[in-house]
Amino acid sequence: MAMNKLNRGVAIVGAGMSKFGAFPGKATRDLFVESFAEMQGSVDKGVDVKDIEAVFIGNYSSDLFEGQGHTAPFMTHAVGLNPVPATRCEDACASSSAALRSGIMAIASGLYDMVLVGGIEKMSDLPTSEVTDTLATASDALYDVPAGYTFPGFYATIATAYMDKYGATPEAWMSVGIKNHDAGSLNPKAQFGQRIRELMDIKIKSAEKKGRPIPTWADEMEFMHDDRANLVIAWPMRLFDCSPVSDGAASLLLVAEDLAKNFTDNALHIIGSGQASDVTLRYRSDLTTLSSAKAAAQQAYEMAGVGPKDIKVAEVHDCFTVAEVVATEDLGFFSPGQGYEAAMEGVTSLRGPRPINSSGGLKSKGHPVGASGAGQVVEVWKQMRGEAGARQLEGDIDVGLTHNVGGTGESCFVHIFGRK
Ligand code: COA
């Protein structure tokens, strides 16, 4: 059996991201340059970017979103690094985790000492219906798309299966939405910088101004149940269960572990990396778990020599609120069927005993699909270095994890980060 280890250690010595959101006046390369500049500025002892030997860019579908294929050399040009080799990596919403793993393997093999890993996506130029069709190409185009499935529909199917199996109710998903908007309100890079309570107040003020009937929601949960304020997208997934249509970019600088001290005394070391694939939803016997996530997590934990209890910061793939609950079970934070209660009881909130998605997650921070995995790493970078500001987690944040899903788990990547 193959040894689950890297031949040479790899460390992250710089990380940056653009703001996530909808930026009609900006090109993808503008967002990538923003993330690259922040990454460069984050390298404590400085870096000559001319030493970067290769570029790996995660990008799902610039072809369909913007009519631009072959994105890696173009991004490389935007940051002035040609003629270094530039490769685009695509695994749907996990594309930049695929880029990260490619970068890790490129250094671990000894081929390069320093590589740039990026993630990019610009989705907001298309109307939502075309975004939905473009995203649906990550599912089975022969069977699922003609049957009318879209991603909200897939995750609604997972949610109803979970509710049927474990007795969860939609309030569980609503709790995740409220929680992630709470955390996102503390993240200046987040697309939605507001708590649900603040959004409610904005809507009340707007109704007053327009002379419309004033909503009388008693609390956030009542707002979440309001069909006008929180539209059903694909029951039980409502508007505030969905990640938004987003633009954004992220950049990570990877070096061989023995060189890390030249750049910082506070590097993030890659201590675990796992990747797995799975059949599409209709072939699965259990819709309440992603077997690719469990397999990728097992590989990453084994490589890192740590378990779920050791993880202090976890960014998990909450493209829809139900996905976060399933992820927390697949990663071993909770037993199957216990994750939804943990979310409802506040266990996974920012100040709870097992915080999940301190960045606001994809739900609130935004989900520019090809950039999301690298964006998760930026949050872990900030938390492990004590640079997360108002949302900084308490205690010694010495081990972090990212969990990034492509499609409904046809691909999954889990990475674990530590200090050395
Ligand atoms: N969560 C909360 N609010 C959202 C939102 C979201 N996901 N998406 C949009 N909004 C808000 C907007 O800010 C806007 O608010 P305002 O009226 O106060 O200004 C309002 O809802 C309407 O925005 P709009 O852009 O017209 O929404 P839409 O109906 O076109 O799109 C969704 C809403 C949920 C359909 C869209 O965000 C979506 O498709 N999300 C899922 C994306 C996805 O599948 N990603 C891949 C996952 S695998």
Side-chain angles (χ1 to χ4, degrees), residues 226-274:
D226 181 337
D227 289 343
R228 286 171 55 112
N230 190 15
L231 294 175
V232 172
I233 303 294
W235 193 89
M237 294 291 100
R238 293 169 177 261
L239 184 65
F240 284 91
D241 293 298
C242 303
S243 58
V245 172
S246 311
D247 307 331
S251 292
L252 309 170
L253 187 65
L254 273 56
V255 300
E257 188 170 275
D258 44 312
L259 302 175
K261 286 267 182 243
N262 297 338
F263 303 98
T264 177
D265 295 325
N266 204 0
L268 257 61
H269 293 258
I270 310 286
I271 59 172
S273 176

Side-chain angles (χ1 to χ4, degrees), residues 316-339:
V316 313
H317 195 94
D318 60 325
C319 52
F320 295 89
T321 49
V322 60
E324 176 174 308
V325 170
V326 170
T328 58
E329 297 176 7
D330 290 338
L331 292 165
F333 298 147
F334 307 109
S335 312
Q338 307 280 298

Side-chain angles (χ1 to χ4, degrees), residues 93 123 128 132 135 151-152 155 181 192 203 233 239-240 242-245 319-320 363 367 369 407:
C93 303
M123 303 162 72
T128 303
T132 306
L135 291 169
F151 272 94
Y155 279 91
H181 272 264
F192 294 118
K203 286 182 191 296
I233 303 294
L239 184 65
F240 284 91
C242 303
S243 58
V245 172
C319 52
F320 295 89
K363 168 68 205 81
H367 187 19
V369 291

Side-chain angles (χ1 to χ4, degrees), residues 305-362:
V306 304
K309 286 195 170 50
D310 300 306
I311 306 297
K312 306 286 178 39
V313 52
E315 287 289 298
V316 313
H317 195 94
D318 60 325
C319 52
F320 295 89
T321 49
V322 60
E324 176 174 308
V325 170
V326 170
T328 58
E329 297 176 7
D330 290 338
L331 292 165
F333 298 147
F334 307 109
S335 312
Q338 307 280 298
Y340 82 92
E341 285 172 336
M344 291 182 80
E345 287 162 7
V347 176
T348 53
S349 67
L350 197 60
R351 300 291 166 228
R354 160 59 73 203
I356 299 290
N357 283 333
S358 56
S359 69
L362 312 182

Side-chain angles (χ1 to χ4, degrees), residues 25 87 113 138 144 147 149 204 209 265-266 272 301 303 338 344:
T87 308
D113 286 336
D144 298 340
Y149 261 108
I204 289 169
K209 208 168 150 192
D265 295 325
N266 204 0
Y301 285 138
M303 188 190 287
Q338 307 280 298
M344 291 182 80

